[in-house]
Amino acid sequence: MYSVNKPTKPEQPLERKLDAGWFAWFIMTLTNRLTLFHLATLAVVQVAFAASSYGLTRAMLLRQLNERSGNTLDTLVAAAEVEPDGLDWEPESRKLQLSGGAQPVWAIFDGNGRRIDGSIDQAQSLESYATPGSDMEQARVEVVWDKQPWWILRRTVHHPHPEAVLDGRQQAKPRHRTLVFLTAWPLAPVFETLQTLLWCIVGLSTAVWLAAAFAGRWLCRRALAPVTRMAESVGAITVDDLGERLAVPKTHDELHELATSFNGLLNRLQESFARQSRFTGEASHQLRTPLSAMLGQIEVALRRERPPEEYRRALGAAHAQAERLSRIVETLLFLARADAEASLPSPNDSIFSIGSIDTWKAGTIIRGKPTCCWTRH
């Protein structure tokens, strides 16, 4: 048993594969290309609009959160009283009503990091951020509590005369040289709002894109329907039926100009084919006449033995007919080689008579030069 290895088909190079891909793109219908271009442009606009909307909304929400947290610190700082002997804060006599939606987490610490007051017990987690800063300095830090992002804002208030503040053990009421105000705000609601906005934008953009895809394809097919009908009409035109013409739309646009120009081309083609048919018929008739005369004269001369003078007359007559045939053949060659600038004779004239041939050959010039040289054989 002998095995025959079949030759494997060589793999096409990468260049040919790329060319095939571009060819597949180019053979797509015009409707598909216009639809894809329209959808790609719409997708770019939608992405730009979605990114802008998301970015602006995110900046607005964070700015609002920053303003609310700042307002909270302003309220807390305004509730503290600056006494000559120190800063006063009495938790029992100050019930704060903070404006806004959800109540924030807030706490107040003295300069030693001891908690004085706060909203809830969770404020105990703010002790690590109660480091005093400069007077009325506001700082912000982003932290993660229970796997959730938070903003913590801090503002420090110092007594204008810290040397006048006595130790707490020497005072009837507690006074403070420094108070540190802290407030914490969750970022989860902001991110949830942004996520909801993102899903809404994606859903609406997808719906609009799909609607634009169907509507755009329908509009493209409707707009290019006259082109499709023109292509079908052109495909139905044959050589035997050159009288058919394209329907010219009454839109007076590019399609109107295309149909008009193509009908003009069909008119010129029909006229050219008609001239070619007339020329072929007359050429056949003119070639058949001298050939028949030449053959008749030769047959008569060969029927019996004749003197040399009669053979000479018969050969002379055959030579004259052959000369006429040569002129007609040269005329046919001229017509085959002449371009669009060659002046054709009138269809009513016989172009194959010896006189008209000589006149036409002498007067036909292409690009300022004689088309050929005529010699008698």
Side-chain angles (χ1 to χ4, degrees):
M1 297 292 294
Y2 294 94
S3 61
V4 179
N5 294 329
K6 296 182 180 180
T8 59
K9 186 178 180 180
E11 185 179 358
Q12 294 183 355
L14 180 60
E15 291 79 4
R16 294 189 61 183
K17 292 182 179 179
L18 293 177
D19 293 342
W22 281 106
F23 179 76
W25 162 256
F26 280 116
I27 64 175
M28 293 178 64
T29 61
L30 182 60
T31 301
N32 292 337
R33 290 202 295 269
L34 289 177
T35 304
L36 287 178
F37 177 78
H38 164 71
L39 293 178
T41 304
L42 179 61
V44 172
V45 173
Q46 286 182 329
V47 170
F49 175 76
S52 301
S53 300
Y54 184 86
L56 292 175
T57 304
R58 184 177 185 275
M60 182 189 67
L61 292 177
L62 293 179
R63 185 176 65 252
Q64 290 179 352
L65 183 60
N66 189 50
E67 291 177 355
R68 292 177 63 186
S69 58
N71 293 335
T72 300
L73 289 179
D74 292 340
T75 303
L76 293 174
V77 172
E81 295 181 1
V82 181
E83 301 293 343
D85 55 347
L87 300 174
D88 181 25
W89 178 273
E90 296 182 0
E92 293 78 8
S93 61
R94 290 176 173 83
K95 302 297 182 181
L96 299 179
Q97 295 294 330
L98 300 177
S99 61
Q103 293 298 317
V105 177
W106 61 273
I108 302 175
F109 297 87
D110 61 8
N112 298 322
R114 184 173 59 88
R115 182 176 183 272
I116 300 175
D117 196 3
S119 57
I120 55 177
D121 293 338
Q122 192 176 3
Q124 300 294 338
S125 301
L126 297 175
E127 293 179 358
S128 58
Y129 306 99
T131 304
S134 58
D135 189 37
M136 300 303 293
E137 176 190 7
Q138 181 170 315
R140 186 184 67 193
V141 63
E142 183 174 346
V143 298
V144 177
W145 285 349
D146 297 331
K147 299 181 181 179
Q148 296 294 331
W150 287 70
W151 266 4
I152 297 179
L153 276 77
R154 181 195 67 192
R155 186 178 299 178
T156 304
V157 177
H158 295 281
H159 193 274
H161 304 288
E163 66 279 357
V165 181
L166 300 177
D167 188 20
R169 290 173 297 182
Q170 302 175 2
Q171 298 174 349
K173 292 184 179 181
R175 297 290 186 267
H176 310 280
R177 292 187 179 91
T178 301
L179 290 178
V180 179
F181 300 87
L182 295 174
T183 180
W185 288 80
L187 294 176
V190 175
F191 293 153
E192 290 175 359
T193 303
L194 291 176
Q195 186 175 7
T196 303
L197 175 64
L198 181 61
W199 282 112
C200 291
I201 290 177
V202 171
L204 290 176
S205 298
T206 303
V208 170
W209 192 86
L210 292 177
F214 288 104
R217 182 170 179 81
W218 180 78
L219 289 176
C220 288
R221 291 175 65 88
R222 184 177 179 86
L224 295 177
V227 179
T228 303
R229 290 193 293 268
M230 288 181 187
E232 294 175 354
S233 301
V234 171
I237 297 176
T238 61
V239 177
D240 299 330
D241 189 14
L242 291 177
E244 295 291 334
R245 294 295 181 267
L246 299 180
V248 180
K250 299 180 180 180
T251 54
H252 301 286
D253 53 5
E254 291 80 1
L255 296 178
H256 178 87
E257 296 179 359
L258 175 62
T260 303
S261 300
F262 199 86
N263 286 338
L265 174 62
L266 291 177
N267 292 333
R268 294 189 293 271
L269 286 177
Q270 186 179 14
E271 183 180 357
S272 176
F273 272 96
R275 289 183 179 181
Q276 184 179 5
S277 298
R278 290 195 300 268
F279 171 75
T280 303
E282 191 167 357
S284 299
H285 175 73
Q286 295 297 332
L287 288 175
R288 183 174 54 187
T289 301
L291 282 175
S292 299
M294 184 187 302
L295 291 176
Q297 292 173 357
I298 294 175
E299 289 177 358
V300 170
L302 294 178
R303 285 179 182 177
R304 61 183 178 84
E305 293 293 333
R306 298 179 183 276
E309 291 79 5
E310 293 185 8
Y311 284 116
R312 189 175 292 107
R313 285 196 301 271
L315 290 176
H319 182 269
Q321 297 297 333
E323 200 173 49
R324 184 182 179 187
L325 284 175
S326 176
R327 293 187 180 185
I328 295 175
V329 170
E330 289 178 355
T331 303
L332 292 176
L333 291 176
F334 172 79
L335 291 176
R337 295 173 182 174
D339 54 16
E341 296 179 4
S343 57
L344 295 177
S346 174
N348 298 325
D349 297 336
S350 177
I351 64 175
F352 295 102
S353 62
I354 301 301
S356 63
I357 290 175
D358 293 338
T359 304
W360 182 35
K361 291 186 295 185
T364 302
I365 297 177
I366 300 179
R367 299 184 181 90
K369 296 182 180 180
T371 56
C372 59
C373 296
W374 297 89
T375 59
R376 181 180 299 275
H377 297 280

